[in-house]
Amino acid sequence: MEADDGAEAAVDPVDPVDPVDPVDPVDPVDPVDPVDPVDPVDPVDPVDPVDPLEQFARIDHTRQSRTGMPEVVYGEGKSAQQMASILGAMEQRGGQRAVMATRVDAEAAQQVCSLLPSAVYHPLARVLHLPPVVAEEEEAAAAERREEGESGGAGGRRDGHVVVVTAGTTDLPVAEEARVTLALMGVQVALIADVGVAGLHRVISQLPRIRQADVVIVVAGMDGALPSVISGLVDTPVIAVPTSVGYGASFGGVAALLAALNACAPGVTVVNIDNGFGAAAAAARILMAGRASTAK
C-alpha cells in the first residue's frame, strides 16, 4: 500500500547528551584586609579675597629688571578709576624708573589727577605720569661715572643722546609722546620740528644738531620720505615713526609706513603708525645695549 503524500517524514533519533561535568566547588574567598582608617581631611584654607586691582589688571612689577623698561599703562580704553588704581599700585610698589600712562585724553587725565594729585599731564603728548623716582643704586652708578670722567647727565640718566625730528608741525603729538617717554626714562632728548622734505634746506640746516645724536627718531606722515633722507646723512641708528597725517590716499598712515619700510637708505628701523612710545622704547634699548657693550 502506498504511503500517504501528506505524511510527515520520520525524525532521526537525537544523539544522547553528554552528561554535564559536576561543578568544581568554589574556593573560599580570602578574607578582606581591614581598611586603614582615613586620615582626617585638613580644613580648607579660606580663599584669599581677590585684590580689586586683579579684577581688571595684573601688573608686571619685574619687567624693568628683565628688560630695562618698566611696564607702561596704555590709557586708551581704560576708565580714569582703572588708570588711577594701576598707577597708584605701581607707585606704591616702587622699584621702577617711571610710572606713566600713554594715550590719555584730557578728560580722563583731569579725573585721574583728581584721584592722584601728584600726577602730571602732558596734553600734546597725551602722557600722564607720576613724579619719577631715581633708585639709589642708579644715583650711585651715575656719580661713579661722573667721577671717572665718563659721559652722562644727572643721576639716573642713561648715557647717550636722542634727537626726535618731525617732518611737520602736525606730527608733533606723536613726536612729543616719544620725547616725554624718553625724558621719563632718564634719556637726554631734544626735539627738532618741521623740517620736512618740501624744503630740504630746513633739514640740512639742522644736520649739525642731528649728527650729535646717538639715535635719531624721525616722525613723518604724508609721503613719509624724511626718515630715508636723514638716514642717508647720518651714521647713527634711525627709527622711523610713520604718522596718520595726510590726505585720503595716505590711507591713515599706511602710505608713510610703506615708504619707511621701503626706505632707499639701508638700516632704517620702523615702528607702527603713530607709535611714538614704541620708537622711544627702541631708542632706549639701543642706548642700553651700547652702554652694556662699553662696560664689557
Side-chain angles (χ1 to χ4, degrees):
M1 182 176 174
E2 294 183 0
D4 184 3
D5 291 340
E8 294 181 359
V11 178
D12 293 334
V14 178
D15 294 334
V17 177
D18 293 335
V20 178
D21 294 332
V23 178
D24 294 332
V26 177
D27 293 333
V29 177
D30 294 332
V32 177
D33 294 332
V35 178
D36 294 332
V38 178
D39 293 332
V41 178
D42 294 332
V44 178
D45 294 332
V47 178
D48 293 332
V50 177
D51 182 345
L53 185 64
E54 292 187 356
Q55 295 177 8
F56 55 85
R58 284 175 171 78
I59 302 172
D60 186 356
H61 290 292
T62 62
R63 185 175 300 181
Q64 179 168 301
S65 63
R66 297 193 318 271
T67 69
M69 294 285 296
E71 181 171 16
V72 172
V73 179
Y74 182 76
E76 195 169 311
K78 292 183 177 67
S79 69
Q81 181 62 58
Q82 288 173 334
M83 281 188 281
S85 298
I86 296 170
L87 293 171
M90 293 167 75
E91 181 185 41
Q92 185 176 12
R93 176 67 176 259
Q96 68 179 51
R97 183 187 304 272
V99 176
M100 61 179 287
T102 63
R103 302 301 170 95
V104 183
D105 62 44
E107 182 180 353
Q110 185 176 11
Q111 295 176 38
V112 173
C113 289
S114 68
L115 297 169
L116 298 172
S118 64
V120 178
Y121 182 57
H122 301 264
L124 186 57
R126 293 189 295 165
V127 169
L128 185 146
H129 68 89
L130 300 182
V133 177
V134 178
E136 292 181 3
E137 57 268 23
E138 289 192 357
E139 284 279 16
E144 183 179 349
R145 290 198 299 271
R146 287 195 297 271
E147 289 176 3
E148 294 175 354
E150 296 184 20
S151 63
R157 283 195 178 276
R158 302 177 185 213
D159 295 342
H161 175 56
V162 177
V163 169
V164 180
V165 182
T166 79
T169 304
T170 317
D171 299 313
L172 275 174
V174 177
E176 273 292 285
E177 182 180 71
R179 186 194 69 79
V180 172
T181 298
L182 285 166
L184 291 172
M185 298 299 171
V187 175
Q188 295 178 346
V189 57
L191 175 68
I192 299 174
D194 196 24
V195 291
V197 297
L200 280 175
H201 60 285
R202 297 180 298 179
V203 69
I204 296 298
S205 70
Q206 296 298 318
L207 272 180
R209 292 180 62 196
I210 296 172
R211 285 174 172 162
Q212 290 176 0
D214 297 294
V215 182
V216 182
I217 295 174
V218 184
V219 185
M222 294 198 173
D223 56 12
L226 188 60
S228 186
V229 170
I230 290 181
S231 185
L233 296 171
V234 301
D235 62 357
T236 51
V238 172
I239 302 171
V241 188
T243 71
S244 52
V245 172
Y247 297 102
S250 68
F251 297 111
V254 173
L257 173 64
L258 294 176
L261 290 170
N262 289 283
C264 185
V268 175
T269 297
V270 185
V271 298
N272 207 345
I273 298 168
D274 292 338
N275 191 5
F277 169 77
R285 286 195 165 201
I286 291 171
L287 295 180
M288 282 190 292
R291 174 71 185 162
S293 122
T294 303
K296 292 177 183 179

